[in-house]
Amino acid sequence: MDEPAGLMKPDRRRPEPLWHQAEMALRELIERGEWSSGMQIPNEDRLGDMLGISRITLRHALRNLEEAGLLRREHGRGTFVRSATVVAGVRGLTSFTEEMKTLSLQAGTRLIEAHRVAANEEVADALEIALGDPVVQLKRLRLGNGMPIGIQASHLPESRVPGLLADAANVQSLYGWLREHCGIAPVKAKEVYRVGRVAEADAELIQLVAGTPAFEVERIAYDTRGPFEYALSTMRADRYEIRSTLYV
């Protein structure tokens, strides 16, 4: 493989560590499409020569890109550029839009439906409101680089989110909208991940066959006043990963 045009080689005169410079150089190749989704990248020896760094330094950079969901290593085959993938693990409380940004993916949202509904027992319990209280329900298709990653149904107490229903079609980052219009800033969230299957009603939108295994994610988000969002999501298992670091 020829050396990519415009490759930013690490410079020992710069203050940043060589591994960080190498990581940024490789990330740039992926972001500008020089290395496209699914493409196999050069092996470690070739990459080390191209960048002028040691294998140990290179592996540090590659590991960070893999953990960020930009690369995947296949034993016996090599390293490949990932398609749009969200890697969930130990992380701060962020919106989907913010999470996409940290992974260098272009977030996208397509509103499927927006309604005022009466809180059923499950929603009322999660939001700590009375059974039957009015709730704004938003169902949205979440995209990364234009590719479907999941379908999310958010439920919010109508009394806390005035104007949301009317403006739903214009909302890209829900948490950003809530901060700006309602003064709601999340401070924590509780999440539960389960193995589920793609519902028939969602199959076409998420571009999978009905019944395909997927992650089902339940989230309750809180601000200083208490729970403000109860969200149920179906995430594509081939574009969403959960990783954990375990300690003794």
Side-chain angles (χ1 to χ4, degrees), residues 1 3 23 49 60 66 72 95 99 105 108 116 168 175 197-198 203 214-215 222-223 233 236-237:
M1 178 181 290
E3 182 175 307
E23 179 185 342
D49 290 341
H60 191 162
E66 184 181 11
R72 73 173 190 277
S95 69
E99 197 167 17
L105 299 176
R116 176 188 294 107
Y175 285 10
R197 296 187 180 275
V198 175
F215 287 115
Y222 299 77
D223 70 349
S233 304
R236 287 185 58 136

Side-chain angles (χ1 to χ4, degrees), residues 34-55:
E34 187 78 26
W35 286 353
S36 57
S37 175
M39 176 180 172
Q40 183 174 8
I41 71 172
N43 61 33
E44 290 183 358
D45 289 339
R46 175 63 178 141
L47 276 178
D49 290 341
M50 287 165 53
L51 293 167
I53 58 176
S54 70
R55 180 174 289 189

Side-chain angles (χ1 to χ4, degrees), residues 2 13 43 60 74 105 129 161 170 191 208 211 229 246:
D2 295 333
R13 295 170 295 180
N43 61 33
H60 191 162
E74 296 186 8
L105 299 176
I129 58 178
V161 292
N170 302 313
E191 288 186 339
L208 288 174
E229 181 199 27
L246 308 180

Side-chain angles (χ1 to χ4, degrees), residues 127-145:
L127 294 176
E128 298 177 8
I129 58 178
L131 184 66
D133 275 0
V135 170
V136 174
Q137 177 180 287
L138 305 180
K139 186 173 182 180
R140 297 174 295 162
L141 178 66
R142 313 315 301 268
L143 308 165
N145 285 355

